[in-house]
Amino acid sequence: MGVQRSAYRQPVTPQGLQAIEDGTLTWLDDDMYNNLNTGVLEQYLEEKNLKESFEVSHWSTPKVLLGIAIGAIFSGVTAYIGLKLGLAISAAWYIAYLLGMALKWSPSEVNIATSATTGATHASTGFIFTFPAIFLLASQAQYELADGPLITLGEGEALRLAFIGIVASMFAGFLGVMYFIIFRRVWLVEDPLPLPGFEATLKMLDIASDVNTGAVKHARESLKTIGFWTGVTMIGLFVIEYPLIWLNGRKLALMDWVAESLHVGDVGLATFYSHGKLHQPSGTEDGVSLGVTQWTEGTWNPFAYTYIGLAFTPSMFAIGWFMRMRVALLVNMGTLVGWLVLVPLAVALNVPIYDAKAQADIPLHDFAAGGSAALQMIAFSKTIRTIAIGSIVGGGLFGLAKMYKTFLSIFGDIGAALKGDGSAEYIEGKGWYEWPLKHIPIFMGVTFVSMVAIFSLGGFPVAASILFATVLIATTFMLGAIAVRVMGETGIEPVSGTSFIVLLLLLGVFLSAQDALNLDTQEAVLLGLVGTTVFGSAISMSGTVIGDYKNSLYIGNRPYHISKGNIMGVVPGAILGAGVAIFLSIQLAEGNIDLLAPQANAFATFSVIFAEGQGDLLLLGLGLLLGMFVEWATGMGTSFGLGMYLDIPHTLPMLIGGGARDWWEEKKLKPKIEAIAEKEGTKAAEKTRALTLLGTFMIAAGLLTGEAFFGTESSILSFIDSLLDDEFAYSTSWWAARMGLLIGLNVVIGGSIYWLFKAAGVIGGDDDDLVAEAA
């Protein structure tokens, strides 16, 4: 048989080949690391696992439930970060890995438990990116048409849609996990996808396997590090964001009050700082920052043509640290092009802005008629973001178009997988090695019937529900396969890009066949958005499981346990993550909190354009071409468009974080590791490097967690504010009660986490106690 070739296939080493022939190569040894992604190694380990994994891979329900609990809790954290920044990044798996290491679980147990963690965390992805668009369309003035909002939500309507979406996402999540079972052997064994970055996870499992490296102690310290930096972040954000000072009918954060107090006339600190941002000089009025440099007819001020600032957002710095400089820069390139090129051009050229209510194009300068205005912000929100939306879609479409060969070869992969090609699902006398393929068509039928029943009982016409169920099963299978293939090759799954395609498909079908399907315009748009929400959760689960499967192959776990763990995590993750996302979405739409929600706003914009033909299609087309070009040139067209959609104060911290990590690794970490390698050997140096880098990840995880916790708590308090009458809402009694609620909430959360870790032996006790607890 000839040697298979691929763009990412690595050649097998002579020593590795010899060890494979002799049967001495085993999990996590040097020969394994030296031959990752060779295909020869993966096929050897697959055969080894078929014989020996039943002695290694053991299911522990309590440990899996602990992994699910961590994932479910952090699904809410992921929802907040996703809505605020447009990136569904979670630190849950780091914490689950650390907890397993601290309790001296085996690599197999850590891998199985964290598969449940990742399943719970990503089951509600669609509710982060798509579902909020429903509330934006119903409440935000910028999406209103001449005769009012495109969507009107009656009493109980939001709850009905949420119920439909959550239950449907559970079935879709199960389907997403099962679909990848078809490709596991083809894409991880026969022709292994590299999944860039997975080596760090594998190294953590390696460290967990050796209790003599100090991994247990390091893991316990790292968990404490997360807690410390979570607390520090929340305290910092309290000073920056919490309305502590109530004066003259205004509620001010402590930092804003200090900035406004330090002024002489109209000159003061508030001209450079306001609302958690350092920014270009904007001027003040009675000490209060104007926030943005104003544009006035007849005067020339370069700052009136753009906006530059730096937001004090710890999560963006943390995300930049995870990304490193290259990816952070590619995302930031979209922001830099938008704010330093396109926004100034739009203001200088007095471009026409489409006003949906007036149903007319209005020159930009006219918005400042009779006074001054922040024209650069109007240009950004009305023009550049339209280009950005087109760029997101264009990058996603072209990225998928580049995969046409993969698309064609998928049918061959499916045929090979369904034939089995030597794989064994059930081993007589031992049990299940892999989830049976015959369950997939059965569950496709169950999902189809369930979707029709859920959407029909939810009030949508039966014919439209049948059509949606058909589209969901087909698109999850085909687009999901392509998206996972892209993730396997680049490390990034294009959830947003593929979801846009599904939305376009659903809206195109439902709006063009309204009469035949017995749908009005609102129902057609709602069905398209809820349907896209369900699709997003399905393919997110497919992308999640590939990493768990890949690690399981190298440590001797049964794929059956990985599938089971992910499936078990779907239900609690979908409920809690979606619940938090929906609550935050409502607060966002009603103006109680300020979150960017770039994908949701993009989905809302497209819904308006398709439903009513509103919006600037020329700008949308320009963005589409720009996204395609960037995708062709860099492979990051969707990320570029996302960066253009974000404002510069929120992306600069990401760039700083990415640059800081590159500098730290080059100037601080590299010399230290080289010294250890020279003194103790390469293996010791690599483990030290992994543990040291993991320590920095824990700080970053603390920044993410702290901002998400504080932001969610602030949203809850803002929601309570909205329920009160004005007199009581500004009273001293409510000031004290509000503060008491914030403190009490954190005491309960902190106490619960402390009790959990204390009971597990992570806090207090010694290593002997941990061994006894873990046993």
Side-chain angles (χ1 to χ4, degrees), residues 322-551:
F322 283 124
M323 283 181 169
R324 304 192 64 171
M325 184 64 175
R326 178 182 176 275
V327 177
L329 180 61
L330 284 171
V331 173
N332 267 266
M333 284 303 295
T335 312
L336 297 176
V337 168
W339 283 99
L340 302 183
V341 178
L342 298 181
V343 169
L345 275 176
V347 177
L349 297 176
N350 193 23
V351 297
I353 301 293
Y354 182 82
D355 189 291
K357 288 184 178 180
Q359 293 189 331
D361 291 323
I362 300 174
L364 181 59
H365 292 181
D366 287 1
F367 286 90
S372 60
L375 294 190
Q376 67 271 48
M377 310 308 287
I378 297 174
F380 173 65
S381 63
K382 297 289 188 178
T383 301
I384 309 309
R385 278 190 163 173
T386 303
I387 298 175
I389 291 167
S391 184
I392 292 172
V393 178
L397 287 172
F398 194 78
L400 294 179
K402 289 195 304 184
M403 298 294 296
Y404 77 94
K405 291 183 179 179
T406 298
F407 186 82
L408 295 175
S409 69
I410 281 173
F411 294 103
D413 291 342
I414 293 171
L418 291 176
K419 288 178 183 177
D421 280 353
S423 66
E425 296 171 352
Y426 185 81
I427 307 299
E428 194 67 37
K430 293 184 177 180
W432 289 103
Y433 174 74
E434 188 165 18
W435 200 283
L437 286 173
K438 66 182 180 182
H439 284 188
I440 296 175
I442 294 173
F443 200 78
M444 286 172 66
V446 170
T447 301
F448 180 86
V449 173
S450 300
M451 291 295 167
V452 174
I454 292 166
F455 280 83
S456 298
L457 292 173
F460 291 104
V462 175
S465 300
I466 292 173
L467 183 57
F468 163 70
T470 304
V471 171
L472 173 70
I473 289 175
T475 55
T476 302
F477 188 69
M478 299 309 299
L479 292 180
I482 296 173
V484 172
R485 181 67 179 263
V486 172
M487 181 178 180
E489 294 183 343
T490 66
I492 301 172
E493 186 180 19
V495 176
S496 297
T498 50
S499 294
F500 271 114
I501 294 171
V502 172
L503 179 65
L504 298 180
L505 176 62
L506 291 176
L507 289 181
V509 170
F510 294 142
L511 289 171
S512 62
Q514 286 181 244
D515 294 337
L517 297 173
N518 194 27
L519 290 169
D520 59 29
T521 300
Q522 171 167 311
E523 285 181 319
V525 172
L526 284 175
L527 188 52
L529 289 170
V530 176
T532 305
T533 297
V534 175
F535 168 82
S537 296
I539 69 159
S540 182
M541 289 303 301
S542 291
T544 294
V545 77
I546 182 176
D548 296 324
Y549 274 142
K550 192 167 181 70
N551 282 303

Side-chain angles (χ1 to χ4, degrees), residues 169-179 443 541 567-568 570-571:
S169 289
M170 291 178 189
F171 283 93
F174 300 150
L175 191 65
V177 174
M178 288 191 174
Y179 269 167
F443 200 78
M541 289 303 301
I567 288 171
M568 283 187 64
V570 167
V571 174

Side-chain angles (χ1 to χ4, degrees), residues 257-316:
W257 177 76
V258 170
E260 292 184 10
S261 299
L262 298 177
H263 74 96
V264 178
D266 287 336
V267 179
L269 181 59
T271 196
F272 297 102
Y273 172 87
S274 62
H275 304 297
K277 290 194 290 278
L278 282 174
H279 50 71
Q280 63 191 41
S282 62
T284 64
E285 186 174 331
D286 296 328
V288 178
S289 175
L290 295 177
V292 180
T293 307
Q294 306 293 302
W295 187 92
T296 304
E297 186 72 39
T299 62
W300 189 83
N301 181 345
F303 288 127
Y305 288 77
T306 189
Y307 182 76
I308 300 172
L310 179 67
F312 293 153
T313 169
S315 54
M316 284 303 269

Side-chain angles (χ1 to χ4, degrees), residues 385-395 606 619-628:
R385 278 190 163 173
T386 303
I387 298 175
I389 291 167
S391 184
I392 292 172
V393 178
F606 263 93
L619 291 176
L620 202 64
L622 178 63
L624 201 74
L625 295 175
L626 181 59
M628 289 180 175

Side-chain angles (χ1 to χ4, degrees), residues 215-264:
V216 173
K217 180 180 179 182
H218 189 93
R220 294 171 68 178
E221 292 301 317
S222 293
L223 285 169
K224 294 174 184 177
T225 299
I226 293 176
F228 174 78
W229 283 100
T230 297
V232 169
T233 301
M234 294 180 75
I235 292 171
L237 290 173
F238 175 84
V239 173
I240 294 170
E241 296 183 2
Y242 184 81
L244 183 64
I245 310 298
W246 296 12
L247 290 172
N248 302 322
R250 297 179 65 216
K251 296 180 179 181
L252 297 173
L254 181 59
M255 279 292 291
D256 282 312
W257 177 76
V258 170
E260 292 184 10
S261 299
L262 298 177
H263 74 96
V264 178

Side-chain angles (χ1 to χ4, degrees), residues 43-163:
Q43 292 173 50
Y44 167 80
L45 289 177
E46 178 79 350
E47 295 301 318
K48 179 180 175 69
N49 292 346
L50 281 166
K51 298 175 183 177
E52 303 177 26
S53 65
F54 294 90
E55 304 301 322
V56 176
S57 183
H58 299 292
W59 180 268
S60 172
T61 300
K63 292 172 183 176
V64 170
L65 290 176
L66 184 56
I68 290 173
I70 294 172
I73 292 170
F74 276 84
S75 65
V77 174
T78 303
Y80 179 84
I81 296 297
L83 282 169
K84 181 165 186 174
L85 308 172
L87 301 167
I89 293 180
S90 171
W93 73 271
Y94 285 110
I95 296 173
Y97 264 66
L98 283 170
L99 189 58
M101 290 166 63
L103 295 175
K104 291 191 174 180
W105 293 353
S106 69
S108 169
E109 292 169 328
V110 174
N111 181 225
I112 293 171
T114 52
S115 71
T117 301
T118 54
T121 304
H122 292 89
S124 58
T125 301
F127 284 89
I128 301 171
F129 292 151
T130 311
F131 202 78
I134 295 172
F135 301 103
L136 294 174
L137 288 169
S139 304
Q140 292 286 305
Q142 62 181 315
Y143 299 116
E144 285 189 5
L145 307 177
D147 56 352
L150 175 62
I151 290 175
T152 302
L153 296 178
E155 185 176 354
E157 184 79 357
L159 184 61
R160 175 182 74 90
L161 296 173
F163 176 79

